[in-house]
Amino acid sequence: MIDSTVPVRVARPSRDLAAAERFWVDGLGLAVLWRTTGRVPDEHDLLMVGPPGAAWHLELTYDPGRPLEPTPTVDDLFVVYLGRPADASLIDRLVAFGGTRVPAHNPYWDEHGVTITDPDGYRLVLCSRTWV
């Protein structure tokens, strides 16, 4: 059994790490926790973002030798529980940094938040509810 202090990484491919960084860091406000872009043969470029000191982070990868096309579905969600409605300025910033506001596949998320796709098409939900 794992507890709340065990680090968790969510990893997914990206077409463009610079565009992803603009969305997740400049748009959402996460920090760059780690980056590799040395173009070492047989190694991926990585961008890890998240809140400093948190037990989780999002890892975005790009393999220049064998790039993968991201294949998100309408139900691949990264949900952030804000505990209040998302500020319009945050939504505007996410759109300005490469996001697109979209209707949610599950109406629950439209009722309790806002859904925005990142530059790779993955969905970020800014939920007005709290988790705990």
Side-chain angles (χ1 to χ4, degrees):
M1 193 67 134
I2 63 171
D3 64 40
S4 62
T5 63
V6 174
V8 174
R9 175 183 298 176
V10 175
R12 58 174 67 150
S14 177
R15 287 181 205 95
D16 181 342
L17 293 180
E21 181 174 344
R22 285 188 296 276
F23 179 83
W24 293 102
V25 174
D26 300 329
L28 187 58
L30 299 178
V32 174
L33 303 174
W34 180 262
R35 168 197 329 263
T36 60
T37 56
R39 303 288 179 177
V40 177
D42 298 323
E43 289 192 17
H44 290 63
D45 291 343
L46 303 175
L47 174 66
M48 295 182 195
V49 298
W56 66 269
H57 61 270
L58 177 62
E59 175 188 286
L60 301 161
T61 66
Y62 178 75
D63 182 349
R66 295 176 297 155
L68 292 175
E69 184 65 23
T71 56
T73 72
V74 294
D75 223 12
D76 285 318
L77 306 176
F78 191 89
V79 179
V80 177
Y81 290 91
L82 299 173
R84 57 179 164 48
D87 293 331
S89 62
L90 173 58
I91 296 166
D92 292 344
R93 196 168 59 244
L94 286 162
V95 170
F97 287 108
T100 303
R101 189 168 177 177
V102 295
H105 174 69
N106 179 339
Y108 174 88
W109 298 116
D110 285 336
E111 182 179 342
H112 299 289
V114 174
T115 303
I116 301 169
T117 61
D118 75 0
D120 291 306
Y122 288 98
R123 290 173 178 229
L124 166 68
V125 176
L126 302 172
C127 184
S128 61
R129 302 188 82 185
T130 59
W131 175 245
V132 288

